[in-house]
Amino acid sequence: MGAIMGIEQFIENELKSNDVVLFMKGTPQFPQCGFSGQVVQILDYVGVPYKGINILENDELRQGIKDYSNWPTIPQLYVKGEFVGGCDIVREMFQANELQPFFKEKGVPVREQAAG
Amino acid sequence: MGVRDRMTEKLQAAFAPARLEVIDESARHAGHAGARPEGETHFRVRIVAEAFRGTSRIERHRMINAALADEIAGGVHALAIEAGVPEAGG
């Protein structure tokens, strides 16, 4: 990284290089917060590839991501660089069967669900 | 005044909701990161208000977060939000 990269630039780089990014507490394999864990479960169920970024490893990022989105809580889901929401919003979209169509609309591949 | 009552008052003032519940769920998160022994850290807001008609989910959350900015900055660690609009002709 050479010179110290600003946190905003770090966030923008991640959003540019990954279609789906989840800023979370812990990792997808080991979430350290129930709200982050719920979003991980939903994304895994939908079958969408995503990058999980653990904000607990970096205090600057932990605050920086809240400033970036003007959103006070973690987790935060981004799709194609756009902030989608936190745990409640992702869960509501999932329960309303809006999440899969949303990913498709954005051009992100999802696993086809069994009919029925 | 407790945090829950203060949040209720602020939401009443901001949105004149048709229905409002502010639930302290701190006990369910005891021992979890962000929880404090004295509680008042984890809340759920159930709110139905005409003010949300025509707004997206993100906009509703932002409106509620703005109304409760002091509480969120001051120790409320988690805020679950269920926001809706009154059903027509209910």
Side-chain angles (χ1 to χ4, degrees):
Chain A
M1 278 202 262
I4 296 166
M5 187 164 51
I7 200 69
E8 193 180 326
Q9 201 187 339
F10 168 82
I11 292 167
E12 279 174 358
N13 277 347
E14 292 291 350
L15 297 182
K16 244 181 252 165
S17 27
N18 303 282
D19 280 352
V20 184
V21 181
L22 179 65
F23 291 90
M24 61 179 292
K25 294 182 179 175
T27 63
Q29 291 70 37
F30 187 49
Q32 294 187 44
C33 163
F35 301 104
S36 290
Q38 282 184 39
V39 177
V40 163
Q41 280 187 352
I42 290 171
L43 293 178
D44 287 347
Y45 182 86
V46 171
V48 68
Y50 64 97
K51 179 168 184 183
I53 297 178
N54 183 2
I55 57 94
L56 296 178
E57 287 182 347
N58 182 335
D59 279 343
E60 207 187 342
L61 176 60
R62 186 175 185 160
Q63 184 56 45
I65 192 63
K66 295 178 182 176
D67 295 340
Y68 183 83
S69 54
N70 186 29
W71 193 262
T73 51
I74 308 292
Q76 296 186 11
L77 181 68
Y78 292 77
V79 176
K80 297 269 184 181
E82 180 196 329
F83 176 55
V84 177
C87 175
D88 291 332
I89 289 179
V90 172
R91 198 181 51 238
E92 279 177 28
M93 290 176 76
F94 175 66
Q95 287 168 346
N97 288 320
E98 291 172 18
L99 203 53
Q100 281 101 330
F102 173 77
F103 282 124
K104 282 185 188 165
E105 191 184 298
K106 293 284 177 186
V108 178
V110 295
R111 184 172 54 224
E112 288 302 322
Q113 302 295 319
Chain B
M1 192 191 300
V3 175
R4 195 185 76 91
D5 291 340
R6 210 161 59 231
M7 290 168 69
T8 304
E9 267 191 7
K10 287 190 175 177
L11 292 169
Q12 288 283 7
F15 305 114
R19 272 184 28 220
L20 175 62
E21 266 184 288
V22 179
I23 303 157
D24 187 342
E25 297 186 334
S26 305
R28 286 172 47 186
H29 299 270
H32 162 279
R36 291 186 309 248
E38 62 271 34
E40 300 198 317
T41 51
H42 291 68
F43 289 87
R44 174 174 301 274
V45 170
R46 292 202 178 108
I47 184 168
V48 175
E50 199 56 46
F52 300 132
R53 194 174 298 282
T55 61
S56 70
R57 290 193 177 94
I58 286 191
E59 284 164 346
R60 290 174 195 183
H61 281 238
R62 285 200 195 282
M63 289 161 79
I64 292 165
N65 289 336
L68 302 178
D70 292 344
E71 285 68 30
I72 291 168
V76 171
H77 168 77
L79 183 64
I81 294 173
E82 300 168 25
V85 294
E87 303 273 340

